[in-house]
Amino acid sequence: MFKINDNFLKLPGSYLFSTIARKVSEYKSANPDKEVISLGIGDVTKPLVPAVIEAMHKAVDEMGTAQGFHGYSPDLGYEFLRKAIAKHDYEKRGVKLDLDEIFISDGAKSDCGNIVDIFATDNRIAVTDPVYPVYVDSNAMAGKTGEYDKDKEAWTDVIYMPCTAENGFVPAFPEKTPDIIYICCPNNPTGTTLTKAQLQAWVDYAIEKDAVILYDAAYEAYIHEDDVPHTIYECEGAKTCAIEMRSFSKNAGFTGTRLGFTVIPKELTDPTTGAQLNSLWARRHGTKFNGAPYIIQRAGEAVYSPEGQAQTREQIESYMKNAKTIRDGLSGAGYTVYGGVNAPYIWMQTPDGMSSWDFFDKLLTEANVVGTPGSGFGPSGEGYFRLTAFGTAENTAKAVERICKL
Amino acid sequence: MFKINDNFLKLPGSYLFSTIARKVSEYKSANPDKEVISLGIGDVTKPLVPAVIEAMHKAVDEMGTAQGFHGYSPDLGYEFLRKAIAKHDYEKRGVKLDLDEIFISDGAKSDCGNIVDIFATDNRIAVTDPVYPVYVDSNAMAGKTGEYDKDKEAWTDVIYMPCTAENGFVPAFPEKTPDIIYICCPNNPTGTTLTKAQLQAWVDYAIEKDAVILYDAAYEAYIHEDDVPHTIYECEGAKTCAIEMRSFSKNAGFTGTRLGFTVIPKELTDPTTGAQLNSLWARRHGTKFNGAPYIIQRAGEAVYSPEGQAQTREQIESYMKNAKTIRDGLSGAGYTVYGGVNAPYIWMQTPDGMSSWDFFDKLLTEANVVGTPGSGFGPSGEGYFRLTAFGTAENTAKAVERICKL
């Protein structure tokens, strides 16, 4: 008799964004005359830039000819893309990577979820709280998080490191020692960042404890302040303790185009056996994945061309104008807001101690604006609410106006 | 201190096709004057058909406009594609599926590898032997296969069901009762098939034993004989015991374009808790994957258009001509060959009881032809060798000529 993985049955409710999508869909069906503006899910709205479109047309044409056709991608992804990444994202920051330390994938969400495969079940994970749900849910599915405590809305075996206004959204070293530490910087959902010194302290801590840091840098392109690291490998020793995950979703609008990559330096080895984590991931990648599409890898390469860089930079700046619109508008109306300076996310406190799901419902039904309830990101997200800067300028201004009128 | 998943360390050598790629690359470097023909990895060579190219250009243009831009895909994939699949692949065969029983993915390899996530660790898997390595390796990574016995080249907890010339490549019900049964039909690597009655017997067996069948139908488009089922759901009761995985790689040349899907009927439930496997996979899909690219989903839709169907059919027929060239050529030279009638694979017996890796080396160095050693697919593949029909007609003829001259 076959048995299912009953860890799935422990998962509370459905995936956060699926729940939101359902609620919004139900509201829209019941109120077809209402114009609902979404500043909820972190999905971009601007079209792909001309340099990317052009590269994809060219690649599509190639795929239609015998000479230009491309079948299975090399296991790690095409060198033309890995070279562009090594040069632009790392060499320019003083970080030297071998090309086989970069693994091209179909996006950071897949990599964040799948990376758990290469770790044992009995690692204790630590996450900042609030946190991007995929880190915890993917570990829960693999039976690495203990039991779900409904009252606390928390897993018994997960170390939650609160990041709230009280500590300036900088996690303190936890009481229990973690084995695997998730850090997302610039942070989703709070939109806040760590300074280089703060991140270095975490790298030093990880090295001391033989822990590994899973570093999600999906929002790197939004960094505007000088003292925020663009890659964790700017920190001394990070190559011996950190895996970095990156995405094209937010810097180039690839949410529906799907491309990302993960860096695993060869210096990162298992403290027990000395095995390289790079080799383990290479084996996982080669066995359970078959590459990102050739056309999409060419699209990624175009992001690094001079035109691609200029055009995507312009998009990012226009999203950051939205962030400013939200920040300034809500602050002016008396709300307390964080983030939005080095990230496309604004993290606001709910008014009058309202619960974050109650505020979600209020905003949806009274202002017809969709945001994301802070508690969906973890226990310490309660009392907060996330708005994203990915809407159009017009819709963003309209949404802020509606919220301020509440 | 963090701990790696040491199941990875039990895996023998590297992934089969990576090993072959390395050997070929080394040979080419050492012999730059030799023209090596690959009939090895199951990678197509013909360009994408015009209907697909046209659809992708259109989708690329859409992605470059504010109105036509598409961000995150719906969790299960776009309805336009799921509707086309439900109609063409199932309704036409008398099988009715709900659209939320179809999950679009980036390919059957990912699905085959990732599906292990929803099953408990203590299921006993049964595979036909020889077998596509991903089934076993993905279970081994998850600690579901016991220890690797180097002498037997087999895992202690896997039930291997030999498929050889002796039993006509039809697996017998095993002595030990399996919980999860992998069946690939038309078969990779042997190129052989089961009749509908033979597959029905397996469905009946699975139902009787409360086992689940993971049915890989990636080569369905190559079926030419009447009595071979195109989907397992043609068999009575299959919806209560089978998951079907499909690919666009072989019917439409998407090996480098990446698209596939998995069907999990809602009737398929966990015998212990009654939980729907469909829900579990939906949760996994929504948490650890973010959809296939919009452009590629439109490409998949175009495969089902009248033009797409006619054009891809022509490609398949031309590959099948190669299969006939190989079959007839090798038979004529006295080799014993199987497959190649309902599948793009020819499974030949190595001459004079030569080991399959020795034959690989001989073919590479003496005939400059790359094939796949049968033992790479499992213990019962020893003494066999796989050739694929995916080369060009010219190269295929040339390769056969070279082999016959050996």
Side-chain angles (χ1 to χ4, degrees):
Chain A
M1 186 177 77
F2 79 89
K3 284 132 273 174
I4 58 165
N5 174 352
D6 56 13
N7 294 308
F8 275 72
L9 305 181
K10 299 180 189 172
L11 289 163
S14 66
Y15 181 63
L16 172 63
F17 295 110
S18 310
T19 307
I20 292 173
R22 185 180 47 73
K23 281 198 169 224
V24 173
S25 166
E26 284 168 7
Y27 180 79
K28 281 183 177 172
S29 295
N31 301 275
D33 56 316
K34 300 289 188 189
E35 182 218 30
V36 175
I37 298 175
S38 176
L39 304 180
I41 191 167
D43 198 357
V44 296
T45 54
K46 289 191 186 300
L48 297 179
V49 300
V52 168
I53 294 292
E54 197 183 319
M56 287 203 289
H57 276 308
K58 191 164 163 257
V60 168
D61 279 334
E62 282 184 76
M63 293 292 282
T65 66
Q67 301 74 30
F69 179 75
H70 285 74
Y72 290 120
S73 160
D75 268 7
L76 275 58
Y78 284 99
E79 272 204 12
F80 61 75
L81 179 55
R82 288 184 285 138
K83 276 184 183 165
I85 290 167
K87 181 178 163 191
H88 291 273
D89 288 323
Y90 295 96
E91 266 176 47
K92 286 188 180 170
R93 306 275 169 206
V95 176
K96 175 88 186 69
L97 292 179
D98 290 344
L99 291 187
D100 58 358
E101 296 179 313
I102 301 169
F103 298 80
I104 306 299
S105 76
D106 65 324
K109 186 177 177 191
S110 302
D111 284 351
C112 283
N114 291 328
I115 197 78
V116 303
D117 279 10
I118 66 168
F119 295 103
T121 303
D122 60 344
N123 286 291
R124 188 178 287 268
I125 71 159
V127 294
T128 56
D129 169 25
V131 69
Y132 176 51
V134 170
Y135 310 151
V136 177
D137 288 0
S138 56
N139 276 282
M141 287 174 178
K144 304 183 182 191
T145 56
E147 301 300 319
Y148 189 71
D149 183 328
K150 278 186 187 159
D151 295 331
K152 293 185 182 164
E153 292 187 347
W155 293 88
T156 53
D157 289 357
V158 172
I159 299 172
Y160 294 90
M161 305 183 292
C163 290
T164 61
E166 284 67 39
N167 61 10
F169 301 97
V170 177
F173 300 131
E175 279 174 41
K176 288 183 189 164
T177 304
D179 304 308
I180 296 174
I181 303 157
Y182 285 84
I183 296 179
C184 176
C185 177
N187 190 255
N188 173 17
T190 68
T192 60
T193 49
L194 302 177
T195 63
K196 192 170 164 187
Q198 287 165 338
L199 187 59
Q200 182 68 58
W202 273 99
V203 168
D204 295 342
Y205 174 83
I207 291 170
E208 185 199 323
K209 304 292 186 191
D210 271 333
V212 65
I213 295 175
L214 301 181
Y215 191 71
D216 182 348
Y219 300 93
E220 175 273 337
Y222 291 82
I223 295 172
H224 280 70
E225 293 182 321
D226 279 343
D227 197 28
V228 181
H230 286 254
T231 157
I232 194 167
Y233 304 120
E234 289 177 36
C235 295
E236 206 177 326
K239 280 189 174 183
T240 67
C241 71
I243 291 173
E244 180 162 297
M245 288 169 284
R246 293 274 194 111
S247 165
F248 287 77
S249 287
K250 305 304 158 67
N251 63 337
F254 276 34
T255 52
T257 304
R258 310 306 312 140
L259 193 66
F261 61 92
T262 283
V263 174
I264 309 192
K266 290 176 206 153
E267 290 96 317
L268 176 51
T269 54
D270 174 27
T272 310
T273 63
Q276 289 183 344
L277 274 65
N278 181 288
S279 305
L280 268 59
W281 186 242
R283 189 65 199 257
R284 197 274 171 209
H285 214 62
T287 303
K288 295 172 75 173
F289 179 62
N290 228 337
Y294 171 72
I295 295 161
I296 308 300
Q297 294 195 53
R298 282 290 182 200
E301 182 191 31
V303 170
Y304 293 101
S305 69
E307 300 75 24
Q309 287 288 290
Q311 292 161 2
T312 53
R313 178 48 50 193
E314 197 181 319
Q315 284 201 342
I316 290 164
E317 294 313 325
S318 98
Y319 287 135
M320 288 311 282
K321 269 192 199 159
N322 291 344
K324 191 171 154 51
T325 301
I326 302 172
R327 269 183 74 92
D328 293 355
L330 296 183
S331 298
Y335 287 101
T336 305
V337 297
Y338 303 95
V341 176
N342 296 300
Y345 295 126
I346 284 83
W347 191 241
M348 66 182 291
Q349 281 183 348
T350 58
D352 311 321
M354 191 181 283
S355 89
S356 53
W357 273 110
D358 282 350
F359 191 64
F360 172 90
D361 290 333
K362 184 180 170 73
L363 233 58
L364 175 60
T365 57
E366 294 178 24
N368 302 144
V369 172
V370 179
T372 310
S375 64
F377 297 102
S380 295
E382 185 54 277
Y384 293 90
F385 198 76
R386 193 189 74 174
L387 293 170
T388 85
F390 291 127
T392 62
E394 191 192 346
N395 276 348
T396 303
K398 207 186 283 181
V400 170
E401 197 182 317
R402 289 188 197 164
I403 299 172
C404 293
K405 272 193 198 152
L406 276 184
Chain B
M1 187 177 76
F2 78 89
K3 284 133 274 174
I4 57 165
N5 174 353
D6 56 12
N7 293 308
F8 276 73
L9 305 182
K10 298 180 191 171
L11 289 163
S14 67
Y15 180 63
L16 172 63
F17 295 111
S18 311
T19 306
I20 291 173
R22 185 179 46 74
K23 281 198 169 223
V24 172
S25 167
E26 284 168 6
Y27 180 78
K28 281 182 177 172
S29 297
N31 301 275
D33 56 314
K34 301 290 188 187
E35 182 218 31
V36 175
I37 299 175
S38 176
L39 303 180
I41 192 167
D43 199 356
V44 297
T45 53
K46 288 188 187 301
L48 297 179
V49 301
V52 167
I53 294 293
E54 195 183 322
M56 287 203 288
H57 276 308
K58 190 162 166 260
V60 168
D61 280 333
E62 283 184 76
M63 292 293 281
T65 66
Q67 301 74 32
F69 179 76
H70 285 73
Y72 290 120
S73 159
D75 269 6
L76 276 60
Y78 284 100
E79 271 204 13
F80 61 75
L81 179 54
R82 288 183 286 137
K83 275 183 182 164
I85 290 167
K87 181 177 163 192
H88 291 272
D89 288 322
Y90 294 97
E91 266 177 48
K92 286 189 179 168
R93 306 275 169 204
V95 176
K96 177 87 186 67
L97 292 179
D98 289 344
L99 290 188
D100 58 357
E101 295 178 314
I102 300 168
F103 298 80
I104 306 300
S105 76
D106 66 324
K109 186 177 176 191
S110 302
D111 284 352
C112 282
N114 291 327
I115 196 79
V116 302
D117 280 7
I118 66 168
F119 294 102
T121 302
D122 60 341
N123 285 290
R124 187 179 288 268
I125 72 160
V127 295
T128 56
D129 170 24
V131 69
Y132 177 50
V134 170
Y135 309 151
V136 175
D137 287 359
S138 57
N139 276 282
M141 287 175 179
K144 303 183 183 191
T145 55
E147 301 301 320
Y148 188 72
D149 183 327
K150 279 185 186 161
D151 296 331
K152 292 185 181 163
E153 291 187 347
W155 294 88
T156 53
D157 289 359
V158 172
I159 299 171
Y160 293 90
M161 305 183 291
C163 290
T164 60
E166 284 68 40
N167 62 10
F169 302 96
V170 177
F173 298 131
E175 277 174 40
K176 288 183 188 164
T177 303
D179 303 308
I180 296 174
I181 302 157
Y182 284 85
I183 296 178
C184 176
C185 176
N187 190 256
N188 173 15
T190 66
T192 60
T193 49
L194 301 177
T195 64
K196 193 171 165 186
Q198 286 165 337
L199 186 59
Q200 182 68 57
W202 272 100
V203 168
D204 295 343
Y205 174 83
I207 292 170
E208 185 198 323
K209 304 292 186 189
D210 270 333
V212 65
I213 295 175
L214 301 181
Y215 191 72
D216 182 348
Y219 300 92
E220 175 273 339
Y222 291 81
I223 295 171
H224 280 72
E225 293 182 320
D226 279 343
D227 197 28
V228 181
H230 286 254
T231 157
I232 194 168
Y233 305 119
E234 289 177 37
C235 295
E236 205 176 326
K239 280 189 174 185
T240 67
C241 71
I243 290 173
E244 180 162 298
M245 287 168 284
R246 292 275 193 110
S247 166
F248 287 77
S249 287
K250 306 304 159 69
N251 64 337
F254 276 35
T255 53
T257 304
R258 312 307 313 142
L259 195 66
F261 61 91
T262 285
V263 174
I264 310 192
K266 291 177 205 153
E267 289 95 318
L268 175 53
T269 55
D270 174 29
T272 310
T273 64
Q276 288 183 343
L277 274 65
N278 182 288
S279 305
L280 267 59
W281 186 243
R283 188 65 198 258
R284 198 272 171 210
H285 213 63
T287 302
K288 296 173 74 171
F289 180 63
N290 227 338
Y294 172 72
I295 294 160
I296 309 299
Q297 294 195 52
R298 282 291 183 199
E301 182 192 29
V303 171
Y304 294 102
S305 68
E307 298 76 23
Q309 288 287 291
Q311 293 162 1
T312 53
R313 177 49 50 195
E314 198 181 318
Q315 283 200 343
I316 291 164
E317 294 313 325
S318 97
Y319 287 134
M320 289 309 284
K321 268 190 200 160
N322 291 344
K324 192 171 154 50
T325 301
I326 302 172
R327 270 182 74 92
D328 293 355
L330 297 183
S331 298
Y335 287 101
T336 306
V337 298
Y338 303 96
V341 176
N342 297 299
Y345 294 126
I346 284 83
W347 191 241
M348 66 184 290
Q349 282 183 349
T350 58
D352 311 320
M354 192 180 283
S355 89
S356 51
W357 273 110
D358 283 349
F359 190 63
F360 173 89
D361 291 332
K362 185 180 170 74
L363 233 56
L364 175 60
T365 56
E366 295 178 23
N368 302 144
V369 172
V370 179
T372 309
S375 65
F377 297 102
S380 296
E382 186 53 276
Y384 293 89
F385 199 77
R386 191 189 76 173
L387 293 170
T388 85
F390 290 127
T392 61
E394 191 193 345
N395 276 347
T396 304
K398 207 186 284 181
V400 170
E401 197 182 318
R402 290 188 197 164
I403 300 173
C404 292
K405 272 192 197 152
L406 277 182

